[in-house]
Structure formats: structure tokens, C-alpha cells
Amino acid sequence: MVYHEVMYGIPQKDTLAAYLGRQVRYPDITVFVDTPTDIAFARVSKRGTGGKHAWDRLDIQRQLHANFRAMFDSAPEQFGKIIRVENGGSQEEAQQALEESVVRPFLIPST
């Protein structure tokens, strides 16, 4: 929904209505790996994969990030349980945060 709005000017509410019209179910859980845009852009640039797509620009990434945050804040019921994982540190820190907030509570059965 966010990409459609930022990249093509299609309002999020219109994309959501189209999904719901096709009886797409709301998710039970949404994992939002929240990476500050400057850090995300630097990581993509470092890998040398940036610039291949229209969204590989810092201004577009900032819009996307802001819209994702606003979307999750404005309509949380549409995304099930929202788990926000900070991803501004190292890869190891992000993996640990995902392990603690997603893998253990939801994917590893209780004994």
C-alpha cells in the first residue's frame, strides 16, 4: 500500500479497499523492521545494488519510511499484532531482536 502511494500516487485507502474487495485477510502478525532511512540507504549503497529501481533514492526512501510508520500508527487493527524491531544497529543486534520478539514467542512451541 505504501509503495503504491509513494511511487504511483494511488492512495493507501484505495489499495486497501481493492485488497478487501478481493477478500484478502488481515494478517495475524506484522513484523516492521524499522531501519532509519539514512542507515538503510547507506547499506544499499555499500552493497552496490542501489540505483536499479526508482525507489533507490534517499528522498523516496524517506517518504516510504514515513508512510510506513504513519500507516502502522493510524490503522493498527488492519495489521494484526505489530512487532516493531529496531534495525539501526549491527546485523547481530537486529537478528537478536528478531529472535527475541518474533522467533521465540511465535515460532518456537512452548513446552
Side-chain angles (χ1 to χ4, degrees):
M1 294 187 311
V2 168
Y3 278 99
H4 291 154
E5 184 170 68
V6 172
M7 299 305 300
Y8 308 112
I10 302 169
Q12 290 181 32
K13 64 179 179 53
D14 293 351
T15 303
L16 179 61
Y19 287 149
L20 295 177
R22 296 191 180 271
Q23 298 181 340
V24 173
R25 292 184 50 205
Y26 288 133
D28 295 324
I29 300 170
T30 299
V31 178
F32 177 35
V33 181
D34 191 359
T35 309
T37 34
D38 292 341
I39 292 173
F41 193 75
R43 289 175 181 170
V44 169
S45 298
K46 185 178 177 182
R47 287 194 300 257
T49 57
K52 292 182 181 180
H53 308 286
W55 57 82
D56 287 343
R57 296 187 356 223
L58 186 55
D59 61 322
I60 297 292
Q61 288 299 312
R62 285 187 176 133
Q63 279 184 294
L64 289 167
H65 187 258
N67 285 19
F68 269 113
R69 292 182 71 133
M71 181 177 69
F72 290 136
D73 289 343
S74 68
E77 69 282 352
Q78 296 171 356
F79 303 101
K81 178 174 178 54
I82 299 172
I83 300 169
R84 186 171 169 261
V85 177
E86 291 287 339
N87 189 28
S90 69
Q91 181 178 356
E92 292 77 19
E93 290 170 324
Q95 287 175 327
Q96 183 176 354
L98 284 165
E99 173 84 19
E100 292 171 1
S101 60
V102 179
V103 175
R104 288 185 192 146
F106 296 102
L107 300 178
I108 297 176
S110 300
T111 54

